[in-house]
Amino acid sequence: MRTQVGIVGAGPAGLVLAHLLRRAGIDSVVLEARSRAHVEGRIRAGVLEQGTADLLDGLGLGARMRREGLVHHGIELRFAGERHRIDLHALTEGRSITVYGQHEVVKDLIAARLDAGDPIRFAVEGVRLEGLASERPAILYRQDGQEQRLECDLVAGCDGFHGVCRAAVPPGALTVHERLYPFAWLGILAEAPPVADELIYSAHERGFALSSMRSPTLSRLYLQCAPDADAGAWPAGRIWDELRIRLDCDLPEGPIVQKGVTGMRSFVVEPLQYGRLFLAGDAAHIVPPTGAKGLNLAVADVRVLAAAIAAFAATGSTDALDGYSARCLDRIWRVQRFSWWMTALLHRFPDADPFDRRLRAAELSQLVHLPSAARTLAENYVGLPLL
Ligand code: APR
Ligand code: PHB
């Protein structure tokens, strides 16, 4: 089999790339290790930057997002018994975010691609890459017990943090930058109305808490917990009690329909290219979930990659492809900085001394008293301009 672009991974990065390439008249095949049901049922974050929502719209994929997504013009910060609204709309000249689950985005992208008759191969096994340093790379895999070989002009490694593409690069060709955090998030989805119309980020002395939502009847709530926490040690009663304390308010309870612990790390590999392999999304970088930048950053990567691939297809020149990595890394590091900063600002660090705690309190105070500080938060939160 042959295609122009072999895409490994049907997460947001791989799927958005496939749609952008189709619009540019470029063929691709998407290979996904898991089943369609698994990919569509995987609960992740749910905040779309304005640029991400606009891009989905521009691809004709935004109809359900516009119908069911919730547009938010502000967020609330709670700390030290105080409540402050950050007016995203006013601070960013009218920009906003859309609360819409990542797995809903994934469902829309899969349905549109399959409806158009374009290939996604689910449940493929044993994916490995060949000839990356040549002009004829290939992806080998098994499907229904049959060995397959997909030859392409280039390979897009969109297979997430635990994928095989990054690992296929020879040792020494990539530099890894990584930071781990001494905590994790316990996340729940509960059949209960959200406590407020907007997201609440709370920096409580017992630890961070976040109130988010998926719909007017479905809450998405998070609690900072130990990095090795066992979700089983958090029965419903303990979760609701802790949420009440940290969010500093009463909140509607309801059946918890999903519960899980998410680790926190910052991670970047450089460069994003090895020969004819291009890494994008979580395969190349991870941000801690505070601020919900993961999906948005993946979309920003593939937007640049699709344009570079289109230039290559049109001219045969690899100049734009060779510039892909540097072009993306500028944004990647700025978003890393923001996600790290927001994480450090709002969480309790077990080893923080009184000096650290005073600095954190001063930073929170500055945010709500200095409009330029609030504006910097707001501009990053709604999303840096796309290149
Ligand atoms: N072969 C094929 N597919 C694979 C392989 C493999 N060897 N390994 C992993 N995959 C698939 C995963 O099953 C997953 O569907 O690659 C996909 C990667 O998708 P994501 O993990 O969603 O990553 P990405 O598309 O980069 O999206 C980034 O997703 O992880 C969240 O928080 C993150 O919101 C961010 C966004
Ligand atoms: C979510 O709704 O899942 C969410 C919202 C905001 C964040 C992180 C996650 O900062």
Side-chain angles (χ1 to χ4, degrees), residues 43-377:
I43 306 289
R44 295 245 177 95
V47 174
L48 307 184
E49 293 176 356
Q50 171 128 14
T52 303
D54 290 348
L55 180 136
L56 293 174
D57 257 344
L59 283 167
L61 299 166
R64 195 164 70 93
M65 169 195 71
R66 291 296 181 208
R67 236 178 14 251
E68 298 176 15
L70 308 166
V71 175
H72 285 197
H73 296 298
I75 55 172
E76 191 175 308
L77 298 182
R78 294 190 179 175
F79 55 91
E82 298 177 25
R83 297 176 178 196
H84 297 274
R85 181 169 189 266
I86 301 287
D87 189 336
L88 300 173
H89 192 77
L91 290 163
T92 63
E93 277 131 33
R95 295 167 75 79
S96 58
I97 53 150
T98 301
V99 177
Y100 187 63
Q102 175 172 317
H103 70 293
E104 305 294 352
V105 174
V106 164
K107 278 190 219 167
D108 296 344
L109 294 169
I110 289 175
R113 177 153 174 101
L114 296 179
D115 283 351
D118 292 331
I120 307 177
R121 313 236 185 279
F122 289 102
V124 301
E125 294 175 298
V127 171
R128 59 223 184 270
L129 309 181
E130 231 182 55
L132 294 176
S134 76
E135 291 185 358
R136 271 295 140 85
I139 309 176
L140 292 93
Y141 62 98
R142 273 190 313 283
Q143 186 157 39
D144 304 324
Q146 299 271 56
E147 279 296 333
Q148 304 286 351
R149 180 187 172 87
L150 176 66
E151 293 185 354
C152 14
D153 296 330
L154 39 97
V155 177
C158 301
D159 51 349
F161 186 64
H162 300 288
V164 294
C165 290
R166 192 176 68 247
V169 176
L174 299 180
T175 302
V176 170
H177 302 278
E178 186 164 30
R179 182 137 306 179
L180 296 171
Y181 297 84
F183 40 73
W185 278 13
L186 175 76
I188 63 162
L189 203 57
E191 286 171 350
V195 61
D197 290 343
E198 294 183 334
L199 272 61
I200 303 170
Y201 289 86
S202 182
H204 194 273
E205 60 198 19
R206 289 170 67 94
F208 171 72
L210 167 60
S211 164
S212 178
M213 71 231 23
R214 289 294 175 270
S215 77
T217 55
L218 201 56
S219 301
R220 179 77 172 146
L221 296 144
Y222 297 97
L223 285 169
Q224 175 182 353
C225 62
D228 55 355
D230 168 13
W234 285 87
R238 182 180 176 200
I239 294 176
W240 292 112
D241 286 347
E242 198 62 32
L243 284 166
R244 263 190 296 275
I245 297 172
R246 295 195 199 172
L247 291 169
D248 193 20
C249 63
D250 212 2
L251 67 171
E253 292 185 23
I256 295 176
V257 292
Q258 197 261 349
K259 177 166 79 167
V261 173
T262 314
M264 312 267 277
R265 72 169 82 221
S266 302
F267 175 95
V268 182
V269 287
E270 294 176 350
L272 275 51
Q273 175 186 9
Y274 173 75
R276 287 288 175 97
L277 169 68
F278 297 86
L279 300 172
D282 276 17
H285 43 72
I286 295 285
V287 288
T290 330
K293 291 297 174 198
L295 175 149
N296 296 291
L297 196 52
V299 168
D301 287 350
V302 296
R303 193 168 166 279
V304 175
L305 183 55
I309 294 173
F312 169 67
T315 66
S317 159
T318 60
D319 287 356
L321 284 173
D322 294 338
Y324 163 70
S325 182
R327 192 145 170 220
C328 284
L329 281 165
D330 177 65
R331 182 191 189 86
I332 289 167
W333 277 109
R334 291 205 284 155
V335 174
Q336 285 290 354
R337 185 211 66 82
F338 175 70
S339 302
W340 161 84
W341 171 81
M342 208 163 155
T343 301
L345 178 73
L346 297 171
H347 289 72
R348 192 179 85 84
F349 282 72
D351 59 354
D353 62 18
F355 191 88
D356 295 324
R357 285 197 287 274
R358 299 287 191 291
L359 285 182
R360 204 166 71 110
E363 180 119 35
L364 285 163
S365 171
Q366 159 149 297
L367 259 185
V368 297
H369 292 114
L370 192 64
S372 61
R375 175 163 294 123
T376 301
L377 163 63

